[in-house]
């Protein structure tokens, strides 16, 4: 063996014309500018990767030019001590270069794609991978091609093509068999099969489906399928009937949700439950992923033996079934499925719960759920109190109870109707919480304390990011150390909640007593205290939940002020490792957002300024040009004594003064300095006053116009007041629907109840956990 270069780690020759390049000093990001994340960017990623590999003469590890010496050795015998030693050296060098190529490929994948492809490769049988249970760069490349590459189906299946060449009549029979099987016409199917030219196991579609596959996929008639199954040749197993996707008949039944066919097939051959297609999917997994719940439940009823349960409900495959159900929000079925498990393999199930946990019930929904029961109890107690006060006879007691029960439907029917509307939301939330408790308790009972962190660390961090405080509570209840979990940057739950603006998780801080004092001075590895973290710009997904850049910067200021009130006063001016105070970080991080907020505020004010000016012009002209004119002698309006004229005068005056006030407010916004602190109260207050007075002005103007119409046209016909009132309500309703929500949101965000918990100390949920721990 000789080296082709002075650096033996660059290119090593082994024999004539065969080299194992090893360009380890290549900076791959200069070639691969994107991460492979799915089918959408696979083509671009593949093009860049091929350019990288070919430019360094190592594409042979992908196309099979550089074969593993172990594979080459299997076709020839090696004898002699020298040849054996040379073979081991060649294999070592090949493995090193192949690992480099494999590392380049894996390093260019997104985290989700990397996890998925590694799971698929490690689950493949030993015969499909290299020895020592390892996989090569070629294996990774072809697996990615299978996952994300374009699917090319042949226009004509090989079987049909052969029959076209051999016997045109057979091809026509196959087409007829497909057509009549698809429509479920048994008489014609029986006639075709009786002729003996074709059978039910012949492939009759482009993707290799047999007549049985077509019947399962197209016909919902159980008797039709049973008749076809009777025509299967002897010694033919249903497990062997697969299409080009590797799907058995049961796979097809699971995909389309043909429950009757699934029951028939499993009863005939139970091993179909364990069959896997080319993607490694079982029928149960396909039924769940296609949300065919009824079919999945029927398949679950047929899984009885320990062998079946171990094969389906263990390892990453078993965890994947639960993850599929949780992702589809079918928490109740997930609870039922969990009963068949002996253990959970990874943190994937708890992670899926954290990612898909339903939202918290809002105030109205909580009031309905809690209020109905409370009102019923209060009504009963009221009746008891009245009876005790009057201390009367039984007849009076019966009258009181009877009256109460008669009035009860009038009080509770509206609430019950609303409760029926939110029943599904409530049940989903309850099922999710039950599943969370089951899974957490399962992990705690089936594992040792030293392994708990493998299950809860990533899920509790994800729950914190998602602001799913109930998930955090339950996990901490079962695993007290989980509250001190940290991400890769060393940030624990409260720090991570501040970074991700998860106010509900941050509010858990106020459920502690003396333990929360730790966070007043806590610092991360870069010297950042909580206020430094609050000074960072919020994640874009959290900012997008708030409409308008001005309201976004207001929300950011509220976070900053809240954390500022909590930490020690010295921490407010404390500098981190980069010699920055929290205020310096806030100004730097929010510089662009402040500019966008200024643009949003100015554009909004300019739009409403034009509206206010237009209203002022209209109502001022109406004020000096009174309806009906004035008396020539006394210069007094003709309709002075009319009630409608009084309504007009008052409404017009209110509209004018309100419009002027609104105009002045919007002009003050246009001339404001727009400092970042002004977005907290000053600017929103001006916008609230301007919008509120503009709403009052618009409403008053419409009323004044309606009064004018009545004065001019309704003196002799009072019924004209009805269409005037209806038309008057139309623009007012439109304004309320389109603009008033902005006023309410501004008032709620500026002066409403804080999104943060009350700053009071009491023994709460976390104190109980900490008391048990310490």
């Amino acid at each position: 063996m000789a080296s082709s270069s002075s650096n033996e780690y660059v290119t090593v020759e082994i024999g004539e014309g065969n080299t194992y390049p090893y360009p380890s000093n290549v900076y791959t990001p200069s070639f691969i500018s994107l991460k492979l994340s799915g089918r959408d960017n696979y083509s671009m990623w593949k093009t860049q990767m091929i350019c990288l590999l070919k430019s360094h003469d190592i594409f042979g590890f992908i196309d099979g030019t550089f074969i593993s010496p172990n594979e080459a050795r299997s076709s020839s015998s090696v004898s002699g001590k020298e040849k054996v030693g040379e073979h081991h050296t060649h294999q070592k060098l090949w493995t090193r270069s192949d690992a480099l190529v494999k590392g380049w490929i894996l390093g260019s994948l997104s985290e989700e794609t990397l996890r998925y492809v590694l799971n698929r490769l490690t689950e493949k049988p030993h015969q499909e991978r290299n020895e020592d249970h390892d996989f090569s760069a070629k294996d990774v490349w072809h697996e990615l091609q299978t996952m994300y590459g374009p699917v090319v189906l042949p226009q004509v299946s090989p079987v049909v093509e052969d029959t076209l060449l051999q016997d045109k009549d057979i091809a026509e029979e196959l087409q007829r068999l497909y057509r009549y099987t698809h429509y479920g016409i048994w008489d014609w199917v029986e006639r075709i099969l009786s002729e003996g030219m074709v059978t039910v196991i012949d492939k009759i579609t482009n993707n290799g489906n047999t007549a049985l596959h077509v019947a399962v996929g197209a016909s919902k008639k159980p008797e039709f399928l049973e008749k076809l199954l009777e025509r299967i040749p002897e010694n033919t197993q249903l497990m062997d009937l697969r299409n080009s996707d590797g799907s058995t008949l049961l796979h097809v039944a699971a995909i389309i949700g043909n429950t009757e066919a699934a029951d028939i097939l499993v009863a005939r051959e139970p091993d179909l439950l364990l069959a896997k297609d080319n993607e490694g999917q079982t029928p149960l997994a396909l039924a769940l992923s296609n949300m065919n719940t009824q079919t999945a439940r029927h398949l679950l009823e047929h899984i009885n033996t320990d062998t079946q349960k171990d094969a389906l409900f263990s390892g990453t495959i078993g965890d994947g079934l639960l993850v599929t159900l949780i992702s589809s929000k079918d928490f109740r079925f997930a609870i039922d499925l969990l009963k068949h498990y002996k253990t959970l393999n990874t943190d994937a199930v708890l992670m899926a719960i954290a990612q898909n946990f339903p939202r918290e019930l809002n105030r109205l929904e909580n009031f309905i759920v809690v209020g109905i029961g409370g009102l019923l109890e209060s009504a009963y107690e009221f009746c008891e109190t009245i009876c005790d006060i009057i201390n009367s006879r039984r007849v009076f007691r019966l009258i009181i109870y009877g009256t109460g029960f008669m009035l009860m439907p009038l009080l509770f029917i509206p609430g019950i109707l609303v409760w029926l509307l939110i029943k599904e939301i409530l049940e989903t939330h309850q099922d999710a919480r039950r599943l969370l408790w089951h899974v957490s308790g399962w992990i705690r009972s089936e594992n040792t304390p030293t392994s708990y962190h493998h299950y809860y660390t990533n899920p509790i961090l994800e729950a914190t990011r998602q602001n799913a405080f109930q998930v955090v509570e339950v996990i901490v209840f079962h695993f007290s150390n989980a509250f001190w979990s940290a991400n890769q940057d060393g940030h624990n739950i409260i720090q991570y909640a501040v970074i991700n603006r998860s106010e509900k998780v941050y509010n858990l801080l106020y459920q502690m007593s003396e333990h929360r004092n730790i966070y007043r001075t806590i610092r991360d590895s870069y010297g950042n205290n909580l206020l430094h973290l609050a000074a960072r710009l919020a994640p874009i997904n959290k900012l997008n939940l708030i409409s308008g850049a001005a309201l976004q910067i207001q929300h950011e200021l509220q976070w900053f002020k809240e954390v500022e009130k909590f930490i020690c006063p010295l921490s407010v001016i404390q500098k981190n490792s980069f010699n920055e105070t929290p205020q310096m970080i806030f100004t730097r991080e929010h510089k662009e957002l402040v500019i966008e907020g200024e643009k949003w505020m100015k554009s909004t004010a300019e739009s409403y300024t034009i509206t206010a000016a237009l209203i002022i012009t209209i109502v001022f002209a109406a004020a000096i040009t009174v309806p009906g004119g004035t008396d020539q002698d006394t210069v007094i309006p003709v309709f002075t004594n009319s009630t409608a004229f009084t309504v007009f005068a008052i409404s017009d005056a209110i509209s004018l003064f309100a419009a002027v006030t609104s105009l002045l407010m919007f002009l003050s916004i246009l001339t404001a300095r727009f400092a970042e602190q002004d977005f907290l109260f000053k600017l929103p207050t001006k916008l609230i006053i301007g919008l509120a007075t503009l709403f009052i002005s618009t409403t008053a103007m419409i009323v004044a116009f309606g009064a004018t119409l009545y004065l001019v046209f309704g003196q002799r016909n009072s019924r004209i007041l009805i269409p005037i009132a209806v038309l008057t309500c139309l623009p007012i309703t439109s304004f309320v629907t389109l603009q008033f929500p902005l006023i309410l949101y501004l008032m709620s965000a500026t002066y409403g109840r804080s999104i943060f918990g009350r700053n009071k100390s009491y023994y709460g949920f976390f104190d109980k956990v900490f008391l048990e721990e310490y």
Side-chain angles (χ1 to χ4, degrees):
M1 181 177 65
S3 175
S4 63
S5 173
S6 60
N7 184 357
E8 62 178 352
Y9 298 99
V10 177
T11 303
V12 180
E13 296 182 355
I14 55 161
E16 295 184 9
N18 295 320
T19 60
Y20 293 150
Y22 188 68
S24 59
N25 58 344
V26 176
Y27 183 65
T28 55
S30 61
F31 287 85
I32 310 300
S33 60
L34 54 85
K35 294 280 189 179
L36 175 60
S37 58
R39 193 180 299 274
D40 293 338
N41 66 345
Y42 173 76
S43 178
M44 293 184 293
W45 172 87
K46 181 180 178 181
T47 303
Q48 293 188 26
M49 184 58 70
I50 290 177
C51 291
L52 170 63
L53 298 177
K54 288 187 175 180
S55 65
H56 293 86
D57 296 327
I58 53 177
F59 191 70
F61 290 95
I62 300 302
D63 62 9
T65 304
F66 293 141
I67 304 175
S68 169
N70 283 345
E71 295 181 10
R73 188 186 186 189
S74 62
S75 59
S76 61
S77 60
V78 179
S79 61
K81 183 177 180 180
E82 182 178 357
K83 289 186 177 181
V84 172
E86 184 178 345
H87 168 77
H88 289 317
T89 302
H90 291 183
Q91 179 63 33
K92 181 179 179 180
L93 294 173
W94 182 91
T95 302
R96 183 179 64 169
S97 296
D98 182 76
L100 177 67
V101 178
K102 183 167 57 176
W104 284 358
I105 297 175
L106 296 178
S108 64
L109 309 180
S110 66
E111 183 178 352
E112 183 179 357
T113 303
L114 177 61
R115 184 184 301 111
Y116 186 35
V117 72
L118 289 179
N119 288 339
R120 287 169 58 96
L121 287 169
T122 53
E123 290 172 4
K124 285 183 176 294
H126 175 54
Q127 294 82 354
E128 297 182 22
R129 295 185 276 121
N130 293 334
E131 51 271 13
D132 301 327
H133 297 268
D134 196 8
F135 50 85
S136 64
K138 182 180 179 182
D139 295 330
V140 178
W141 183 270
H142 285 290
E143 195 65 35
L144 292 171
Q145 173 69 30
T146 303
M147 292 164 53
Y148 302 123
V151 179
V152 181
L153 295 177
Q155 295 300 317
V156 181
S157 65
V159 173
V160 176
E161 186 175 0
D162 291 340
T163 55
L164 285 173
L165 295 175
Q166 297 174 6
D167 192 339
K168 185 177 180 180
D169 294 337
I170 296 179
E172 293 177 353
E173 287 295 292
L174 290 175
Q175 293 177 1
R176 292 176 59 210
L177 178 61
Y178 168 80
R179 184 166 57 252
Y180 294 128
T181 303
H182 179 77
Y183 290 109
I185 306 176
W186 171 248
D187 292 338
W188 284 98
V189 171
E190 184 181 29
R191 181 178 303 179
I192 294 172
L193 296 175
S194 299
E195 294 175 357
M197 296 180 64
V198 296
T199 65
V200 293
I201 64 174
D202 290 336
K203 299 183 184 298
I204 60 176
T205 65
N206 289 343
N207 64 341
N209 282 331
T210 65
L212 291 165
H213 287 87
V214 175
V216 172
S219 176
K220 296 288 186 178
K221 303 175 183 177
E223 61 277 3
F224 183 80
L225 176 61
E226 290 177 340
K227 291 178 180 179
L228 279 179
L229 290 173
E230 294 174 358
R231 295 297 187 117
I232 295 178
E234 295 183 3
N235 301 324
T236 300
Q237 300 294 323
L238 295 181
M239 184 74 75
D240 300 328
L241 300 180
R242 298 174 180 261
N243 59 19
S244 58
D245 297 327
S247 299
T248 64
L249 303 179
L250 190 58
H251 282 99
V252 177
I255 292 173
I256 69 165
N258 193 339
T259 305
E260 294 83 0
D263 289 334
I264 294 172
L265 294 170
V266 175
R268 187 181 182 96
E269 196 166 319
D271 289 342
L272 288 172
L273 288 167
L274 306 181
K276 295 182 180 180
D277 60 12
N278 294 343
E279 298 292 327
Q281 299 290 320
T282 62
L284 179 60
L286 290 176
L288 295 176
S289 61
N290 287 276
M291 302 181 70
N292 295 319
T293 304
Q294 182 182 6
T295 304
R297 287 189 177 275
H298 277 249
L299 293 177
L300 196 60
E301 292 175 357
H302 293 286
I303 301 172
N304 300 315
T305 66
D306 291 338
T307 302
Q308 292 174 332
K309 292 182 179 180
D310 291 340
L312 294 173
F313 307 127
S314 61
T316 55
I317 296 178
D319 290 357
L321 298 178
L322 287 172
V323 170
T324 300
L325 279 174
I326 296 169
S327 300
S328 61
K329 305 295 191 297
D330 197 345
F331 301 105
R332 183 168 300 179
F333 193 4
I335 295 173
D336 296 336
L337 189 65
L338 187 64
K339 300 175 183 177
H340 298 271
Y341 284 70
K342 293 181 179 179
T343 184
L344 296 176
N345 189 59
T346 64
D347 64 350
V349 177
L350 205 56
M351 176 67 80
I353 296 176
Q355 292 173 334
N356 297 278
F357 200 80
R359 64 172 178 83
E360 183 187 7
L361 298 180
N362 58 38
R363 296 177 187 175
L364 176 62
E365 293 166 346
N366 271 318
F367 173 78
I368 294 172
V369 172
V370 179
I372 291 178
L375 287 175
L376 289 172
E377 184 177 355
S378 299
Y380 176 79
E381 291 178 354
F382 176 76
C383 293
E384 286 287 338
T385 303
I386 295 297
C387 291
D388 291 339
I389 292 174
I390 63 177
N391 197 16
S392 59
R393 297 178 181 178
R394 179 178 299 178
V395 63
F396 292 103
R397 185 181 292 267
L398 291 176
I399 292 174
I400 293 173
Y401 277 118
T403 305
F405 281 112
M406 290 176 62
L407 295 176
M408 197 174 296
L410 299 178
L411 296 174
F412 300 125
I413 284 178
I416 292 174
L417 292 176
V418 178
W419 181 81
L420 292 175
L421 296 176
I422 68 169
K423 180 181 178 182
E424 184 177 354
I425 299 175
L426 178 62
E427 290 178 348
T428 301
H429 193 274
Q430 291 176 339
D431 291 338
R433 193 168 178 84
R434 284 175 54 209
L435 177 64
L436 176 60
W437 276 89
H438 282 314
V439 172
S440 300
W442 183 291
I443 294 172
R444 182 171 182 175
S445 61
E446 297 296 327
N447 297 275
T448 59
T450 56
S451 62
Y452 288 162
H453 68 281
H454 294 297
Y455 290 93
Y456 65 64
T457 300
N458 291 327
I460 197 172
L461 291 171
E462 178 63 21
T464 301
R465 190 182 70 84
Q466 298 280 353
N467 203 18
F469 78 100
Q470 293 178 323
V471 178
V472 176
E473 281 186 336
V474 173
I475 293 177
V476 173
F477 178 83
H478 287 91
F479 316 102
S480 56
N481 287 330
F483 192 75
W484 307 108
S485 300
N487 63 3
Q488 295 177 349
D489 296 328
H491 295 133
N492 58 33
I493 301 303
I494 297 299
Q495 292 171 313
Y496 201 50
V498 172
I499 293 173
N500 288 278
R501 304 299 190 263
S502 302
E503 68 279 353
K504 295 177 182 176
V505 178
Y506 177 80
N507 288 343
L508 299 178
L509 185 66
Y510 297 117
Q511 295 191 26
M512 305 178 192
S513 55
E514 68 276 6
H515 297 99
R516 70 180 182 187
N517 293 329
I518 300 173
Y519 292 96
R520 296 186 189 275
T521 57
I522 192 171
R523 303 179 72 177
D524 63 12
S525 58
Y526 297 100
N528 295 310
N529 57 39
L530 275 185
L531 193 57
H532 284 100
L533 302 180
R536 294 182 181 179
L537 185 65
I540 188 65
N541 62 309
K542 295 298 179 71
L543 285 177
N544 288 338
L545 297 176
I546 305 171
S547 60
L551 298 179
Q552 291 175 357
I553 189 65
Q554 182 193 44
H555 189 265
E556 290 288 88
L557 283 167
Q558 289 172 344
W559 262 98
F560 189 80
K561 295 299 182 182
E562 173 65 24
V563 177
E564 185 179 38
K565 290 187 296 184
F566 172 74
I567 63 173
C568 293
L570 183 61
S571 299
V572 175
I573 58 174
Q574 195 175 53
K575 294 185 178 181
N576 59 12
S577 301
F578 302 101
N579 204 31
E580 289 182 310
T581 63
Q583 184 60 54
M584 292 168 63
I585 295 178
F586 188 92
T587 302
R588 173 173 54 81
E589 291 268 330
H590 295 82
K591 181 179 179 180
E592 295 296 329
L593 189 60
V594 170
I595 295 174
E596 292 298 322
E598 179 181 350
K599 291 179 180 178
W600 183 87
M601 191 71 76
K602 283 186 175 181
S603 63
T604 303
E606 286 174 356
S607 301
Y608 289 123
T609 298
I610 297 173
T611 305
L614 191 60
I615 292 175
I616 292 173
T617 303
I618 294 172
V619 297
F620 181 78
I624 62 177
T625 310
V626 294
T630 58
D631 187 270
Q632 297 293 332
D633 298 329
T634 61
V635 197
I636 297 176
V638 176
F639 296 121
T640 299
N641 298 324
S642 174
T643 304
F645 184 80
T646 304
V647 172
F648 159 77
I650 295 174
S651 300
D652 193 77
I654 292 174
S655 179
L656 178 62
F657 296 142
V660 172
T661 304
S662 177
L663 180 62
L664 292 175
M665 283 296 150
F666 291 131
L667 288 176
S668 69
I669 292 176
L670 294 175
T671 57
R673 61 172 184 166
F674 289 98
E676 61 184 30
Q677 298 298 326
D678 292 343
F679 285 91
L680 187 59
F681 288 110
K682 188 175 181 179
L683 290 172
T685 300
K686 291 181 177 180
L687 189 59
I688 290 172
I689 296 174
L691 288 172
T693 52
L694 183 62
F695 172 70
I696 295 172
S697 176
T698 304
T699 304
M701 181 185 66
I702 297 299
V703 173
F705 182 72
T708 303
L709 288 178
Y710 180 75
L711 283 172
V712 176
F713 301 105
Q715 294 293 328
R716 297 182 180 179
N717 185 9
S718 59
R719 287 183 295 179
I720 198 174
L721 187 61
I722 297 176
I724 291 175
V726 173
L727 294 175
T728 300
C729 293
L730 180 61
I732 296 175
T733 304
S734 301
F735 189 94
V736 170
T737 304
L738 299 175
Q739 302 297 329
F740 203 65
L742 178 59
I743 302 176
L744 293 179
Y745 186 85
L746 280 168
M747 295 177 65
S748 175
T750 307
Y751 300 105
R753 192 173 69 175
S754 174
I755 60 176
F756 304 100
R758 297 179 180 178
N759 300 345
K760 65 178 183 179
S761 297
Y762 63 94
Y763 282 99
F765 175 82
F766 283 101
D767 283 296
K768 297 178 182 178
V769 176
F770 292 138
L771 287 174
E772 292 178 0
E773 180 181 354
Y774 292 102

